Every structure is written in structure tokens, then in C-alpha cells.
Amino acid sequence: MRIGVDVGGTNTDAVLMDGRRVLAWAKSPTTADVSSGIQASIGSILSQSGVATSDIRLVLIGTTHFTNAFVERKHLLEVGVLRLALPAGRGIPPLADWPEAMRRAVGEHVFEVAGGYQYDGRVNAALDETAVAAAADEMVRRGLRTVAITGVFSHVNPDMEIRAGEIVAERIPGASISLSHRIGRLGMLERENATVMNACLADLSALVVRSFGEALKGLDIAAPFFVSQNDGTLMSGETVQKYPVLTFASGPTNSMRGAAYLSGLQNAMVADIGGTTTDVGVLINGFPRESSVTVDIGGVRTNFRMPDILSIGLGGGSIVRTDGAVTVGPDSVGFKLIQDARVFGGDVLTASDIAVASGLAEIGDKSRVADIDPDLAAAALAAIQFKLAEAVDRMRTSAEPLPLILVGGGAVLVSGAVQGAAEIVRPQYASVANAIGAAIAQVSGEVDRVVAYAEVGRDAALAAASAEAIDLAVAAGAARASVQVIDVEEVPLAYIPGGAVRLRVRAVGDLIQ
């Protein structure tokens, strides 16, 4: 028995699963204190099923709290930013490309010292431990409690970052320390940005994880809980407190993983249609295709793993306008749908009203939309189909059409075939695919480094990276017998001698229960 929960900005969804079978599901409004909404949703599914709390083995949670907090600049701490890169990294200072408002939110406490490696792990400049200690003392003087440490090519050799972290911990007892090699990938500036993001969320991560624990304790559930991250796999509550940034975009990822499970399709497109937006992505081997470019979050460029998602302004709350051509969205009534939509007594014509008038949905009072002209309804549905088809076309990387899986509460808006999709798949429990995605999540390990094939040989390099990725998955809680390498990416780096290749290997396995 396991429970999957997805804490969204509007609703908290929960499902109870016996192995791979869904026993019950529920939606409740998300609450400011987090725990109340979780308790309401879990309490509902336990009541529906009659399952005792002692039978629950695992609780798996997805959340958007950290993404929303960073984008909205709420609950952020000021950060001590320590870069180990002099003299080579002097050209572009830390936070240089951050929006002004974001820089103010995290403070501009920047410290640069000598250190860093070359692409193959050789020392570029020795770590200046004296300067690290002096920077830590200045952070104490400024009252900083969280520190982000980044070094050149530290994801190839993390020793300097680890040593700098030890020095800072000695000088600032109890400080929250984020090391970039555990967060980002190749590309120092973007990796540094992601590390600063992680550091500024230190207090909020502790609060949210504590809220999750209190919610389960209030329900008398003693089972351990894990939190889903943005690659569709899990991490413990303790790990979330250290690396909250890895939950960014976990909501769409959970929906896509849930879509793969519910449909049985491993390679397909997914459209998660909510109240305000539709997220379109691509499944490859049952997991979301990852973005191959830097990802902008709140105006800040990052390079940690993120799903390749296209969001468009289309959902159940999208406003329908009839001035000239009929248009749907991109603006929406959002969470005010049950107040403003015509079927609920409001005076705003929404996509949900069109769905009810067309017989696609049964919500609210149908008599309130009986006067909608059938031609208007048909034109609005055609506009919805066109917007979705356009998004599908933008996400395709081949002329070969793929099946399109529709999930989310707004999936009823799509009435017919979508151009560019081989077929439309509407799985059972599609409205809570996000919570199901959390419930079935696995554990992963990933290696991302530059290797010289001319020196070590391709086969040896692949074998070593695969073994390390498997070991990392096992260390994160996966059963070794279940771990498989699911993704290998090799990118030749022509500008580096020695047959250098950027090698990324990812392994995934089932959580030990």
C-alpha cells in the first residue's frame, strides 16, 4: 500500500495504490499551511477505501512550493556566494545575469577566491584556504546563514568544493551549505545560479518538510515519506531539505510519469491540461524528455536537469472572447473558476462553459449556458484544438506522429482528433495523473562528466560511468537488483584535445520497501 500526493498551487491531489492498482483518489484545496490540505486529501482516500493507516508502507509527495517561492521571491534567504575560480573566473562575476529584483532578494554577498580544476580534473589553481576562511568570517559578520559554493569543473573533481565547505562549516556552525557539484551540470555560471537558488530556499525547505511530517503524524501514518524530483524519481525528506531546487518542475514531470503508467505507453506525447495552463511534453522510455538547453526560472539561467516542457495559456478557466474571431485564453479566471464561470453563476464565459454547453463535461448548472450559440461553441472548440495542435507540433522532433495522452482536469476540452498526433489516449484516472506519477516514482543516480576517450577508451569510460550511476541510485535507496541504465548521452567536445566527450549516464531502480 502506498499513497501518492501532489501539492499544487490550487489543489492537493491524493491517490491510494495497492501495488500498481488505484484503490481511491481525492482532490482538496491546497492550504497555506500545507499540512491541512494534505490531511484532507489523504483522509478522504482512507475513508473511501477503509484501509488502516498501519497498512500504508510509503507516502510519496510532489510539490510546487519551492518553484513558486523562488519565482515570487517569497521566503528567500540572503546567500553567501563563494566562487572557487580565480584567476580564470574573474571575467563574469557571480549573479551578473540575475534580474535586479532577484539579486536584491538573495543579497549581493559575493566572494571570489583562487581555485578550480581543468576539464579532466587536473588542478587549474590551488585552493586558497586562507581566503575561504576570511570569506566565511565576513559572512558571519553579515549575519548570513546559508552559503553556495561553486568551483570550476567541480562536477569532474569535487575535492575543492568539499574542502571549502568544511572550512565554512567550521567558521559558521549550523550554516546550510550548498555545493554545486551535487546540483548542476557542465557550465559553471548556470551551475552556480542553480546552487544559489538552492541555498536561498534553505529555511523554506525545512518548513515544508516539517509540514509534510506533521501532516502524516496527524493522520497517525508512521510510514516514511519521499518527495519527487524533477526527473521523475524520488529523494528522502532529509535530501529535500538539502536540495529543494531539485523539485523544480516536478509537477509536470509527475503528470507525465502518471500518463505513461496509466496508458501503458513508453514513447508518446503528453498534454496535461489544468485550469490555467496546458503543459506539453514528450515521453521517452517512460520518462520525460529532458531539456537540452539552459532553463530560465524567474529570469535566472540554470543547467540542472529539467523536463522539456512547453506551457501554453489553455485550461478550464481560459476566458473565451467573441470580439470578431472567437479566441480562447491565454488569460484565465484561474482558481476563481467556481465563482466566475457562467455554469457556477458568474458572468465570465470560460472554456469550461463551452465544454458543458457542448456536452463534453457535466459540472455546475448546465441551464446557465443553454443560450450559447452552437456555432460559437464549435468555433471555441476548434480554437482549443488548434492551440493544442500547434503546441504538439512545436514539441515534435520528427515527422513521425506519436500518440497524445491527455491528462488533467481540463482534458475534457479536447473533443476530437489533434493534428500531428497518431491517436488520442484518455486513460482512466487522468485527472489525478500527477499524484499517480508521484506514487509510482523510482530512485535514480546520474553521472555527468567530461572524459578523454583517447586516454581511457570508450568502452571502459562507459562501463565506469554506468557502474557509478548504478551505485549512486543504490545509495539513494534503490534496490540494486532493480537498477537499470536507461539513458546514455555522448557529446563530442571538438574544442578540447584528447578525444574529449561529455558523457552523461542515468540509472533508475525501484525504491527499497
Side-chain angles (χ1 to χ4, degrees):
M1 295 283 186
R2 58 172 58 192
I3 290 173
V5 181
D6 189 86
V7 185
T10 303
N11 290 315
T12 295
D13 297 348
V15 295
L16 174 63
M17 300 184 71
D18 182 2
R20 310 284 285 182
R21 184 165 59 95
V22 178
L23 298 183
W25 64 275
K27 284 179 177 283
S28 297
T30 296
T31 54
D33 65 352
V34 185
S35 59
S36 299
I38 293 176
Q39 286 181 333
S41 289
I42 293 180
S44 177
I45 58 176
L46 292 176
S47 176
Q48 291 175 45
S49 64
V51 170
T53 56
S54 58
D55 291 333
I56 305 301
R57 298 289 299 277
L58 290 170
V59 180
L60 309 159
I61 303 172
T63 180
T64 61
H65 275 79
F66 304 117
T67 315
N68 295 343
F70 184 78
V71 171
E72 296 171 12
R73 304 191 297 279
K74 295 179 179 178
H75 312 292
L76 305 184
L77 292 174
E78 294 196 5
V79 179
V81 183
L82 178 60
R83 179 189 286 181
L84 320 176
L86 293 180
R90 191 187 303 275
I92 302 175
L95 310 181
D97 59 344
W98 284 48
E100 179 62 31
M102 283 294 184
R103 281 206 303 272
R104 288 198 303 269
V106 302
E108 297 188 54
H109 310 287
V110 171
F111 304 87
E112 298 185 68
V113 305
Y117 294 95
Q118 297 185 33
Y119 78 94
D120 57 359
R122 289 178 292 136
V123 173
N124 191 54
L127 178 65
D128 188 341
E129 296 192 5
T130 301
V132 172
D137 291 341
E138 177 61 19
M139 292 178 198
V140 171
R141 192 186 70 77
R142 298 186 189 185
L144 302 177
R145 296 183 290 111
T146 183
V147 182
I149 302 176
T150 307
V152 179
F153 284 111
S154 60
H155 62 296
V156 176
N157 188 337
D159 290 351
M160 287 190 192
E161 279 193 1
I162 294 171
R163 177 57 186 148
E166 292 171 349
I167 296 171
V168 171
E170 292 170 0
R171 300 279 176 156
I172 316 177
S176 173
I177 300 172
S178 298
L179 304 181
S180 79
H181 72 274
R182 294 175 179 165
I183 295 170
R185 292 175 169 170
L186 189 67
M188 193 187 77
L189 295 177
E190 291 83 5
R191 175 160 41 90
E192 182 176 64
N193 288 345
T195 308
V196 176
M197 283 182 180
N198 190 75
C200 74
L201 293 166
D203 273 5
L204 181 63
S205 64
L207 173 64
V208 170
V209 170
R210 186 166 61 249
S211 295
F212 290 163
E214 290 173 352
L216 300 182
K217 184 178 180 180
L219 291 163
D220 197 28
I221 295 176
F225 73 88
F226 292 80
V227 176
S228 60
Q229 49 188 333
N230 48 22
D231 66 348
T233 59
L234 299 167
M235 52 185 170
S236 66
E238 180 183 0
T239 305
V240 176
Q241 284 192 231
K242 294 179 180 177
Y243 309 114
V245 76
L246 297 183
T247 69
F248 281 22
S250 61
T253 300
N254 284 340
S255 293
M256 294 184 68
R257 288 282 291 140
Y261 167 75
L262 292 171
S263 67
L265 298 172
Q266 297 294 295
N267 297 284
M269 303 196 71
V270 178
D272 180 12
I273 307 176
T276 302
T277 61
T278 293
D279 296 324
V280 180
V282 180
L283 287 169
I284 298 176
N285 298 325
F287 284 84
R289 181 177 71 198
E290 290 190 8
S291 176
S292 59
V293 298
T294 56
V295 178
D296 185 299
I297 301 172
V300 179
R301 288 161 50 91
T302 68
N303 68 349
F304 59 95
R305 56 179 183 249
M306 291 283 280
D308 188 6
I309 298 290
L310 173 63
S311 294
I312 60 172
L314 174 64
S318 294
I319 297 172
V320 179
R321 292 188 170 82
T322 57
D323 302 331
V326 176
T327 60
V328 181
D331 50 344
S332 168
V333 295
F335 66 89
K336 293 184 178 180
L337 178 68
I338 58 174
Q339 303 168 24
D340 293 351
R342 286 180 55 178
V343 289
F344 293 112
D347 57 4
V348 180
L349 183 61
T350 67
S352 292
D353 296 317
I354 297 296
V356 172
S358 303
L360 301 176
E362 296 182 3
I363 56 173
D365 185 352
K366 186 174 182 178
S367 66
R368 293 182 177 275
V369 292
D371 62 331
I372 292 180
D373 187 324
D375 290 339
L376 167 60
L381 290 176
I384 291 171
Q385 299 281 121
F386 178 79
K387 291 187 74 167
L388 184 57
E390 190 176 46
V392 166
D393 188 59
R394 288 177 61 185
M395 292 301 289
R396 289 167 61 188
T397 56
S398 133
E400 188 70 25
L402 290 171
L404 175 63
I405 309 168
L406 299 180
V407 296
V412 295
L413 300 177
V414 182
S415 58
V418 175
Q419 187 175 355
E423 62 174 317
I424 300 296
V425 180
R426 301 173 185 270
Q428 189 180 17
Y429 307 117
S431 65
V432 287
N434 47 3
I436 290 172
I440 66 168
Q442 296 173 294
V443 182
S444 70
E446 182 179 287
V447 172
D448 184 2
R449 62 172 51 122
V450 177
V451 296
Y453 280 178
E455 295 178 8
V456 299
R458 179 176 182 272
D459 291 344
L462 285 173
S466 297
E468 184 177 348
I470 290 171
D471 288 342
L472 289 171
V474 171
R480 183 175 289 275
S482 71
V483 180
Q484 292 182 323
V485 173
I486 65 165
D487 190 20
V488 176
E489 180 181 334
E490 299 170 272
V491 180
L493 303 177
Y495 54 89
I496 297 178
V501 173
R502 179 184 178 185
L503 177 61
R504 187 171 69 86
V505 178
R506 185 164 170 243
V508 171
D510 296 329
L511 183 68
I512 295 176
Q513 298 188 39

